[in-house]
Amino acid sequence: MERLPKIALPGIIAIIVLIIILAKSAVTIGAGQAGVLFKTFSEGVVTDKPPMTEGFHIVAPWNKVIVYETRQQELSEPIRALSSNGLDIKIDTSIWFQPEYENLGKLHQDKGEAYVQRVLIPAIRSASRSVVGRYTPEQLYSSKRDAIQTEIFTETNKLLEGQFIQLNEVLVRDVTLPPTIKDAIERKLSQEQEALEYEFRLQKAEQEAERQRIDAEGKARANQILSASLTDKILQEKGIQATLELSKSPNSKVIVIGSGKDGMPIILGNQ
């Protein structure tokens, strides 16, 4: 095998070096990500320019690009806290968050890649304990779930102000009480429900009794009016009208006019 010309060897070496440099200089940023540029021999972290966007980039081989997830992320965090009367409460929370895109360089410079552990988790724990401490176990278990969720979100947002983290939502998924307290609350709620149901039945019974009373009074009043209006002459007239109707019937009968009491007709039939 013939030796390579002396002029070819430096060229091959140069190509290899160029490939290595390009490999170290090429940076690909994926979908939903952004890059923070660190300039080794100048100002360090670039904070006065927007972060590097998705796609392919060429940077100087002595510089570094730190890639961050910029889409909304979820953090599940169980938190133990004390209620207003000192009982141990456990709440399971979900936090929806993302870094502030325009301040990604400042976030990296001040907090670093571990900003979730350094800032977000301590903030959500502190806010949750503060909020839970305002309520009794019964309130936390039943009626105040939405309220504490909103308050934890507000308190956490205050703690994250100026920290370059965008908090989107805080969800309280579950509240766990000591078993004895939970059983006592459930018994109380059950008794309250039974009392409400009994009260409802009483109201229905009272309403039905009132309806029957009004109906009876109405009927009695109608009978009084009818009795007052039925004079002897009206009764005689009604009797005569009924007699005339009966006389039209094909059944055999004998009608004696004026032979009854008060001159009312007497009807003699074949029955």
Side-chain angles (χ1 to χ4, degrees), residues 20-26 40-41 58-64:
I20 294 172
I21 291 174
L22 288 175
K24 287 185 170 292
S25 301
T40 306
F41 298 114
I58 297 293
V59 298
W62 51 85
N63 291 337
K64 184 180 179 182

Side-chain angles (χ1 to χ4, degrees), residues 113-126:
E113 296 177 79
Y115 69 93
V116 172
Q117 291 74 26
R118 291 175 177 172
V119 180
L120 184 59
I121 291 178
I124 194 70
R125 286 177 178 173
S126 176

Side-chain angles (χ1 to χ4, degrees), residues 17 48 50 52 55 57 63 104 122 128 144 172 184 196 220-221 227 240:
V17 171
D48 57 349
M52 298 172 67
H57 300 268
N63 291 337
L104 201 56
S128 298
K144 295 296 183 180
V172 176
L196 289 174
R221 181 61 179 163
S227 298
I240 293 170

